Every structure is written in C-alpha cells, then in structure tokens.
C-alpha cells in the first residue's frame, strides 16, 4: 500500500494506466519540464494540498478562520515536539489568589508538572504575584516615608514570600532556558536536513537510473524525513508542502499501477471517514477546549499521516471535515463570548469596589480607632477586588491602574493623619524614655517600702502615655518591662524571706502564749503593771506573723484584758494601754494608709460622741426649765451621769488621736 501521499496528484497520474514498462518511460527532458512547470506553480499547489480541492469562495471565507487557528497551533507544536506530551492543567483565575496561595501554586507546578504543561500557568502566576507584590511594596514605602523623617535612612523591606517565589521561579526559568536553547540549536539543524532531503528527492527523477536502486533510495529518504525532527513553525507548512509535492511528482514519474493506487485511495478514504465520524462526536462534547485540542490532533493526522483519496470523494470528504471544523470553531467562539460576558460582569464589580475605595479616601476621621476601622474596610474591599475574577484583557491594565491609584490615594490620606500625630508620638517617646531611665535607676533598690510605691506609680504613668513611633515601640517596651520585672523579682524574693521570719514569729508567739496563761499577779500594783508591760514588749519583739495567722493577736489581747481588770486600773488607763498595743502593731507594718484609716475612724468617733453629748445637754435643759421642777428627778440624774461617761469617753478618743498625730512613719 502506498504511504504519505497527498491529494494534489498531477495530471499525469490521472491519465496514465499505472503500468510501469521499461520502454514507456517519458524522456528526461519531458519529465523535467513537467516538474519545473509544476514547481513554478508551487504556491498554488501548496494551497491546493492544504485544502485538497478548493471549495467555493464563500466557503473558504467562512471556514478560513477555523482552519488558520488549527494550522497555527499545529505548526507551533510541530516546532516543539514536547508540546505534544503536555496534558491539560486547569487554568485558574490567579488574580483571585493571595500572595501565599500563589507561591504555593507555583511550588506545586514546578515540583510536580512537566515544563510544557505548566509554562503558561507559571507565567500567569508570575504576572499576578508581581502585580500584587509591587503594590504591597509601594504601600510599605509610603508608610516608611510617613513614619521616618530622616533622609539618610533607606527603605528596606524583606518578604519571605518573595524569596520563595524567586527560588521556585528560578528553577522554572533555568529549565525553560535550557530547553529552548537546545531546541533552537536542533531546529536549525533539522531544517537544513529536511531541505537537503527535498533536494535529494528532486534528483531521483533520472530515467537512466536503476528503478530498484531508485526506490530503495526513495524509501531511505522517506525514513530520514520521518526522523529529521522539528523545524521552525514559520517554515513548517512550506517545507511539508514542498516535500509532498516532490513525492507526488516522483509517484507520477514511476507511473504506479492503478490497482495499487486505488487500494491506497480506498484505505485513505476509510481513515478520513473515521476522522470525520470522530469530529462529529467532538462537536457534541461538553468540554469544548478539550474537544478543540483533539480536533487539532486530527487535523495533523489528516495532513501528515494520511494520503489522498480519489477525486470523486475529495470534495465531499474535505468539505464535510471543513464544515465540522467550522462548527467546532463557532462553539469555541461562543464559549469565548460567554467568558467575555463574565469578564464584563467582573469589570463592573471591580469598578464599584474602586469607587468605594475612592470614597473612603475622602472621608476624614480624627482618631486612631476610627482609622483602624477605615483600614479594615479597605482591606475587605481589596480582598473582594482580587476575588472578583478576570476582566477583559484590553482593560485589565487600566482597571489595575485605577485600583492601585485608589488605594494609593487612601494610603496618602491616612498617612497625612499619622504625620500630624507624629509629634505627639515623639513626645510620648520622650516621656517613656524618661520612665525607662527612672525604672532602671530603681531596679537595684533594696528599700522596698519606699521604692515599691514609686515603681507602681511609674507603671501607672506608662499606661497613661499614648503610642510611640512603631520602630521604637518594641525596643522601649522591652527595656521598661525588663527593669520592672527585675525589681519586682527582687521584691518577691525579699517577701519570701520575710514570710519565713513571720512563720518563726508565729511559732514563738504561740509558745509564749502558753507561758502567759500561767502568769499570776503578785498583788502589788506597780510591780504587776511593770510585769504586764514587759510581757507586751516581749510579744512585740517577736515580730509580725503571717496574715492568715493574725488571730493569735486576738488571743494575746484577751489575756491582757483579763490582767488589766485584775489590776483595777481606770477605764481610761486600760483603754489607752490597749490602744498603745494596737498602735505598735500599726507602726510595725510601715503602712501609712492603715494609720490614716485609723485616724479617720477616731475622728468620726469623736464627732459621734460630741453629738451625743450635745443631744444629752439639750435634754437636760428641757427638764430644768420646767416650772414644776423643784428638784432634779431620777431621769435628770441619769442623763447627767450619761453625759459624764460620754465626756470621759471623748477624752479617751482625743488622747488616742493625739498619740496618732505624734507618730511619724519614715
């Protein structure tokens, strides 16, 4: 069966009977002239081969766009044979992905996919990533300019995301460069080899040569042609058509027998009918892009692998194939139109988002918290912008530029506010720096009673001071926190030691309390009073006890109360001795607040007693002014007695207040 034949058979083929006879071969001059005449019409022959038998002019116009689309793609894939090995990877709308997601997608493609399959996707990822990253970089520069007034300080910004992106893209770029460098070298060599084969093919037409040797040489040339490799896509159609043209002329020259030729025509027709049947199925395929790619492969097989068919079937089979191709092309155009409609909807959404950002860039707010709310709104709009999908390519740059301008205007408006409060932040920095210096100066102090209130006051002042410039915030806070922590850790250690002493004091007082219960008065007032005072002094010297165990002080006071009663002291003396013991405990605590509270309590008691005395004296006047009161009755006497008691109590409270006022706590 004949191989690699073309529909553009010459007139000689249709006229000859197909029998090869030794003495019926045309003269060299006649054949050569025929070939030269055909070569002079090569351009027409190429077009005829591509379309087999030209349909009507209107048909050509209607179908040409579809055929050109297929032809261009096949020429490109023939240039780089690795493109035939690629598989379809869904093309995402990378504009909707975040920087983190784009880097992860790039990593997956570089690590797991073939170069030819992922090439277009990686370039789309690069375009989306750099657009977003450069926009982010511009914002960071504007923030830096707003916060830093020092002209000598250079802007620096490092992003781990950008480093990872550069790493994975470099891997892709190096592989791509190596691939195309090797491809360009091979394309040039392969083109030279194929052109040389065509030249050799021309020289085969030699009536003086042995027919067996000529056929063997012809088959060798065809095998070399198959293995010659890819050539530049702009040369593809011309070189293929030229080769097939000379193959057909060689067949004409050989006068191949008609029976063998008809068998070849029949086989080729069956193969092309199978292709037409498959295209009819593809027209109804739901995945239009997948179907169109298979259609491209079928066109390549039709042109490169299957030879011509008989003239009676050429128009019919080609026109059917061409019409189906146009139907597929039209469906693809409808798909593109639908995508265009979606892109227009996305454009409207993005324009609305830009308009909202432009409004926010004019709303004046005067507080940091309000600006945080505005910034949050812009971030939400930014996310919505990137998530709203692709827009028509002819307005993509314009839309992106409008978005960047709107965001930049908002940031400039925001930064102008923070420039205005820059002075306040610098003042705050000076105040906090002074507090840091004060805290550091006190952090080694061991005078905990005096230093602790100061350190607490410093911390309160720190809380009242506002923000400082962001680049100093972490550093100054760490210095302040370290100084405070250092001091309060020392205070904690000191209190831990004090707690040990307080537990020892409790144990001593508990043992002494048992001894005191056995104490007996001797009956001599002065000696007994001195003994009681000695017990009080001894008790005081034991020191403070832990706060949860202060109940032992109450037990001690009960024993004292019993001893005072046995001494038969006056009520005032007894009360003052008890109060002196209480004052000793207050002064031991070194807590001025407790002493102040005690003074306030006593002053209130003095006021209450004075009011009581005033009321009682008013009552006496009522009774003594009565006409019938010849002498004081029992009620009056009781009131006078009560007044005397209250005045004595008043004297005790005043004495207590006097003692407190004479106490000075360092």
């Amino acid at each position: 069966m004949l191989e690699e034949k073309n529909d553009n058979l010459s007139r000689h083929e249709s006229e000859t009977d197909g029998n090869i006879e030794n003495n019926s071969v045309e003269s060299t001059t006649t054949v050569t002239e025929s070939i030269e005449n055909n070569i002079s019409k090569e351009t027409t022959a190429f077009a005829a081969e591509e379309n087999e038998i030209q349909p009507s002019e209107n048909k050509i116009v209607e179908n040409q766009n579809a055929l050109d689309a297929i032809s261009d793609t096949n020429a490109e894939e023939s240039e780089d044979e690795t493109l035939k090995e690629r598989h379809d990877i869904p093309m995402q709308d990378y504009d909707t992905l975040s920087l983190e997601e784009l880097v992860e997608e790039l990593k997956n493609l570089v690590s797991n996919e073939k170069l030819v399959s992922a090439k277009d996707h990686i370039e789309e990822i690069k375009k989306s990533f750099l657009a977003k990253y450069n926009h982010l970089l511009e914002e960071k520069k504007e923030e830096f300019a707003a916060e830093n007034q020092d002209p000598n300080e250079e802007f620096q910004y490092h992003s781990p995301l950008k480093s990872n992106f550069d790493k994975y893209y470099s891997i892709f770029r190096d592989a791509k460069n190596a691939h195309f460098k090797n491809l360009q070298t091979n394309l040039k060599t392969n083109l030279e080899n194929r052109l040389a084969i065509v030249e050799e093919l021309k020289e085969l037409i030699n009536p003086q040569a042995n027919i067996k040797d000529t056929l063997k040489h012809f088959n060798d040339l065809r095998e070399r042609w198959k293995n010659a490799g890819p050539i530049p896509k702009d040369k593809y159609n011309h070189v293929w058509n030229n080769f097939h043209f000379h193959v057909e002329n060689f067949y004409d020259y050989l006068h191949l027998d008609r029976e063998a030729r008809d068998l070849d025509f029949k086989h080729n027709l069956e193969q092309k009918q199978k292709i037409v049947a498959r295209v009819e199925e593809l027209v109804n395929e739901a995945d239009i892009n997948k179907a169109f790619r298979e259609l491209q492969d079928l066109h390549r097989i039709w042109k490169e692998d299957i030879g011509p068919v008989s003239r009676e079937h050429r128009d019919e089979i080609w026109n059917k194939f061409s019409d189906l191709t146009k139907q597929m092309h039209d469906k693809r155009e409808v798909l593109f139109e639908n995508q265009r409609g979606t892109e227009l909807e996305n454009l409207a959404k993005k324009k609305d988002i830009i308009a909202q950002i432009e409004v926010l860039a004019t709303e004046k707010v005067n507080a940091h918290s309000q600006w945080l709310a505005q910034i949050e709104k812009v971030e939400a709009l930014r996310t919505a912008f990137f998530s709203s999908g692709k827009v028509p390519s002819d307005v993509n740059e314009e839309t992106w530029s409008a978005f960047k301008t709107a965001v930049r205007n908002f940031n400039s408006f925001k930064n102008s506010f923070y420039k205005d409060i820059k002075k306040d932040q610098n003042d705050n920095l000076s105040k906090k720096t002074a507090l840091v210096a004060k805290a550091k100066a006190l952090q080694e102090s061991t005078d905990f009673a005096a230093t602790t209130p100061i350190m607490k006051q410093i911390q309160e002042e720190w809380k009242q001071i506002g923000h400082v410039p962001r680049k100093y915030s972490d550093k100054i806070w760490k210095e302040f926190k370290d100084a405070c922590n250092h001091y309060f850790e020392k205070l904690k250690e000191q209190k831990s030691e004090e707690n040990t002493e307080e537990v020892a004091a409790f144990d001593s007082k508990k043992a002494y309390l048992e001894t005191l219960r056995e104490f007996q008065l001797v009956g001599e007032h002065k000696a007994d009073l001195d003994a009681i005072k000695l017990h009080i002094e001894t008790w005081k010297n034991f020191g403070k006890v832990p706060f949860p165990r202060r109940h032992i002080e109450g037990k001690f006071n009960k024993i004292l109360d019993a001893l005072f009663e046995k001494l038969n002291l006056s009520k005032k003396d007894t009360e003052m001795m008890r109060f002196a013991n209480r004052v000793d405990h207050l002064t031991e605590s070194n807590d001025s607040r407790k002493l102040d509270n005690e003074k306030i309590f006593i002053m209130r008691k003095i006021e209450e007693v004075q009011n009581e005395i005033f009321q009682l004296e008013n009552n006496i006047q009522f009774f003594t002014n009565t006409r019938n009161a010849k002498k004081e009755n029992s009620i009056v006497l009781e009131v006078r007695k009560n007044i005397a008691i209250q005045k004595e109590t008043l004297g005790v409270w005043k004495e207590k207040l006097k003692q407190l006022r004479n106490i000075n706590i360092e």
Side-chain angles (χ1 to χ4, degrees):
M1 185 172 291
L2 302 180
E3 299 177 354
E4 292 199 28
K5 293 188 69 178
N6 193 300
D7 290 354
N8 188 31
L9 295 178
S10 69
R11 183 173 62 256
H12 294 285
E13 182 180 31
S14 61
E15 294 174 352
T16 183
D17 60 4
N19 295 323
I20 304 176
E21 300 178 1
N22 293 334
N23 297 322
S24 62
V25 179
E26 297 183 36
S27 69
T28 304
T29 305
T30 304
V31 173
T32 303
E33 288 176 354
S34 173
I35 293 174
E36 288 175 351
N37 290 334
N38 283 330
I39 292 176
S40 67
K41 301 176 182 178
E42 193 169 317
T43 303
T44 305
F46 292 162
E49 181 198 56
E50 176 112 7
N51 298 303
E52 297 190 341
I53 297 295
Q54 293 285 352
S56 67
E57 191 69 26
N58 291 336
K59 204 71 171 179
I60 293 175
V61 174
E62 291 174 359
N63 294 356
Q64 195 59 45
N65 288 338
L67 297 172
D68 288 345
I70 301 263
S71 179
D72 290 344
T73 304
N74 285 341
E76 181 179 359
E77 292 188 356
S78 295
E79 179 182 64
D80 185 356
E81 291 184 330
T82 60
L83 293 175
K84 300 176 184 178
E85 303 172 3
R86 67 183 175 188
H87 64 279
D88 287 332
I89 303 173
M91 181 67 77
Q92 299 186 48
D93 186 355
Y94 293 112
D95 285 344
T96 65
L97 302 185
S98 65
L99 290 173
E100 292 83 358
E101 291 169 334
L102 287 171
V103 171
E104 188 62 28
E105 186 67 20
L106 174 64
K107 176 184 175 183
N108 291 336
L109 291 174
V110 170
S111 304
N112 303 320
E113 300 292 350
K114 292 182 178 179
L115 172 69
V116 293
S117 298
K119 177 169 65 72
D120 292 340
H121 299 70
I122 290 175
E123 293 301 337
E124 286 296 317
I125 288 174
K126 176 187 176 183
K127 185 165 62 175
S128 295
F129 181 90
L130 291 181
K132 292 182 180 180
Y133 180 76
N134 290 334
H135 182 49
L136 173 66
L137 203 61
E138 289 177 8
E139 292 185 349
K140 295 296 182 184
K141 285 182 179 179
E142 290 178 0
E143 290 178 6
F144 176 82
E147 294 183 2
N148 295 272
Q149 305 299 323
D150 186 358
N152 296 321
E153 189 169 357
E154 294 184 358
F155 169 76
Q156 292 182 342
Y157 180 71
H158 173 71
S159 170
L161 282 174
K162 182 63 164 59
S163 299
N164 283 336
F165 175 85
D166 291 342
K167 179 179 72 174
Y168 294 122
Y169 189 80
S170 293
I171 295 173
F172 161 75
R173 184 187 58 223
D174 292 345
K176 183 182 72 171
N177 289 342
H179 172 76
F180 283 108
K181 182 178 180 181
N182 183 61
L183 180 64
Q184 291 301 319
T185 301
N186 291 338
L187 289 176
K188 182 179 179 181
T189 302
N190 295 340
L191 177 60
E192 292 172 354
N193 291 337
R194 287 187 183 274
L195 293 176
I197 291 172
V198 172
E199 291 301 316
E200 288 187 51
L201 188 58
K202 293 179 183 179
E203 302 299 325
L204 284 180
I205 301 176
N206 182 3
Q208 306 303 322
N210 183 284
I211 190 65
K212 285 188 177 181
D213 293 340
T214 301
L215 285 174
K216 182 177 182 302
H217 190 185
F218 175 72
N219 289 329
D220 289 341
L221 289 177
R222 294 180 66 193
E223 190 64 27
R224 282 167 56 194
W225 181 269
K226 285 183 179 179
N227 299 321
I231 62 175
K233 61 185 178 183
D234 60 328
K235 307 291 184 182
Y236 172 76
N237 286 321
H238 175 80
V239 173
W240 267 101
N241 290 332
N242 200 5
F243 174 74
H244 286 304
F245 173 80
H246 290 291
V247 166
E248 286 191 356
N249 276 303
F250 181 75
Y251 275 116
D252 292 342
Y253 164 70
L254 290 178
H255 296 282
L256 295 177
D257 66 277
R258 189 177 302 279
E259 182 180 356
R261 185 189 63 187
D262 289 345
L263 286 174
D264 195 42
F265 281 166
K266 180 181 179 183
H267 171 74
N268 295 339
L269 178 61
E270 290 172 352
Q271 296 301 310
K272 291 189 176 183
Q273 285 172 336
K274 289 179 181 179
I275 289 179
V276 169
R278 177 55 185 157
V279 177
E280 287 175 337
E281 295 175 358
L282 291 179
V283 169
N284 299 316
E285 174 70 42
D287 189 340
I288 297 175
N289 286 327
K290 179 181 177 183
F292 197 79
R293 283 197 58 78
E294 185 174 345
L295 179 64
Q296 292 171 355
D297 292 335
L298 294 175
H299 265 264
R300 184 164 46 243
I301 294 171
W302 183 290
K303 178 177 180 178
E304 298 177 11
D305 297 342
I306 303 176
V309 300
S310 62
R311 293 185 181 276
E312 62 184 296
H313 297 296
R314 287 178 191 175
D315 285 348
E316 178 186 359
I317 193 72
W318 170 251
N319 290 338
K320 194 167 186 178
F321 184 50
S322 179
D323 290 343
L324 289 170
T325 297
K326 184 177 185 304
Q327 290 181 41
M328 181 70 70
H329 183 268
D330 290 345
K331 286 189 68 174
R332 191 164 179 247
E333 288 299 310
V334 170
L335 175 64
F336 288 158
E337 281 300 315
N338 292 336
Q339 291 176 345
R340 173 79 177 181
T342 302
E343 290 175 354
L344 289 173
E345 292 177 3
N346 295 340
L347 177 61
K349 293 177 184 177
K350 290 193 173 185
K351 284 185 175 180
D352 180 62
I353 290 170
I354 293 170
Q356 292 183 57
I357 296 175
E358 288 173 344
V359 170
L360 291 174
T362 61
E363 291 181 356
K364 189 172 183 179
V365 292
N366 297 312
H368 175 63
S369 59
Q370 293 175 327
W371 271 111
L372 291 179
Q374 296 290 89
I375 292 170
E376 188 174 342
K377 290 178 184 177
V378 171
E379 287 301 317
L381 290 170
R382 185 204 301 268
T383 301
F385 182 88
F386 289 133
S387 302
S388 55
K390 288 185 177 179
V391 300
S393 58
D394 57 332
V395 295
N396 185 56
E397 284 298 324
E398 177 186 345
T399 307
W400 174 243
S401 178
F403 171 74
K404 288 196 297 182
T405 300
V407 174
R408 187 182 300 112
N409 290 340
F410 172 81
N411 287 332
S412 298
F413 192 48
K414 174 196 69 177
N415 291 338
S416 66
F417 167 79
Y418 286 104
K419 282 182 179 179
D420 292 339
I421 65 171
K422 184 72 174 179
K423 182 180 182 301
D424 292 338
Q425 290 186 346
N426 286 329
D427 291 342
N428 294 339
L429 177 63
S430 299
K431 293 176 183 178
K432 287 191 173 182
T433 301
L435 290 181
V436 169
K438 196 172 182 180
K440 286 183 176 181
L442 294 172
Q443 66 180 354
E444 300 295 343
S445 173
T446 56
D447 186 358
F448 299 108
T451 305
T452 300
I454 299 174
M455 290 294 284
K456 290 182 177 179
Q457 180 61 34
I458 289 174
Q459 289 179 324
E460 286 299 319
E461 290 179 18
W462 182 278
K463 294 177 183 178
Q464 301 304 318
I465 300 174
H467 295 283
V468 301
R470 185 165 52 187
K471 69 176 182 178
Y472 301 112
S473 179
D474 291 342
K475 178 176 179 294
I476 195 169
W477 165 244
K478 184 178 184 303
E479 290 180 4
F480 181 71
K481 182 178 67 173
D482 290 347
C484 291
N485 287 346
H486 181 80
Y487 173 79
F488 284 106
E489 284 296 325
K490 290 184 62 177
L491 176 63
K492 184 178 179 181
E493 293 173 3
Q494 186 267 345
K495 284 188 174 182
S496 178
E497 294 174 0
E498 286 182 352
N499 288 340
T500 304
E501 295 175 359
E502 289 176 358
V503 170
F506 173 78
D507 292 338
S508 298
K509 286 187 174 183
K510 184 178 179 182
Y512 191 74
L513 202 61
E514 296 302 320
T515 302
L516 191 57
R517 287 194 177 100
E518 304 298 325
F519 173 71
Q520 297 292 328
L521 298 175
V522 296
E524 185 179 344
H525 182 82
K526 185 176 184 308
D528 289 337
L529 183 60
D530 290 340
I532 292 173
K533 289 181 178 180
L534 181 60
H535 284 307
I536 293 173
E537 190 64 26
T538 302
W539 184 268
K540 286 168 52 179
N541 290 335
F542 286 135
K544 291 191 298 183
V545 299
F547 184 82
R549 302 184 183 184
R550 291 187 65 187
H551 60 275
I552 198 170
E553 301 293 341
K555 294 180 179 181
F556 178 68
N557 289 331
K558 284 185 178 180
I559 294 175
L560 287 184
D561 289 344
L563 292 175
F564 287 146
E565 287 181 7
K566 291 178 182 180
L567 274 179
N568 198 24
L569 289 174
S570 68
K571 183 178 180 180
K572 178 179 179 181
D573 291 340
T574 301
E575 185 66 28
M576 292 307 298
M577 289 191 71
R578 289 174 179 169
F579 181 70
N581 189 42
R582 173 171 174 75
V583 169
D584 289 339
H585 287 300
L586 290 175
T587 53
E588 285 176 1
S589 68
N590 287 319
D591 192 339
S592 60
R593 184 175 56 84
K594 290 182 178 181
L595 283 172
D596 290 339
N597 289 340
E598 187 70 19
K599 287 179 185 179
I600 293 171
F601 173 75
I602 292 174
M603 291 170 68
R604 287 177 179 172
K605 296 301 292 185
I606 290 174
E607 184 178 0
E608 290 176 7
V609 174
Q610 285 177 336
N611 289 336
E612 183 66 23
I613 293 173
F614 179 75
Q615 185 63 44
L616 291 172
E617 287 178 343
N618 281 341
N619 292 341
I620 287 291
Q621 290 179 4
F622 174 77
F623 286 105
T624 55
N625 290 335
T626 304
R627 291 182 180 178
N628 297 327
K630 295 181 180 179
K631 61 178 180 178
E632 294 180 347
N633 56 29
S634 58
I635 296 176
V636 174
L637 293 174
E638 184 65 29
V639 172
R640 289 190 185 280
K641 182 179 178 182
N642 198 1
I643 290 173
I645 293 172
Q646 293 295 333
K647 286 185 177 181
E648 184 179 358
T649 301
L650 180 62
V652 173
W653 286 118
K654 287 184 176 181
E655 183 63 28
K656 288 180 180 180
L657 182 61
K658 182 179 179 181
Q659 286 191 19
L660 284 177
R661 285 174 172 170
N662 290 332
I663 295 173
N664 290 320
I665 294 180
E666 297 297 331

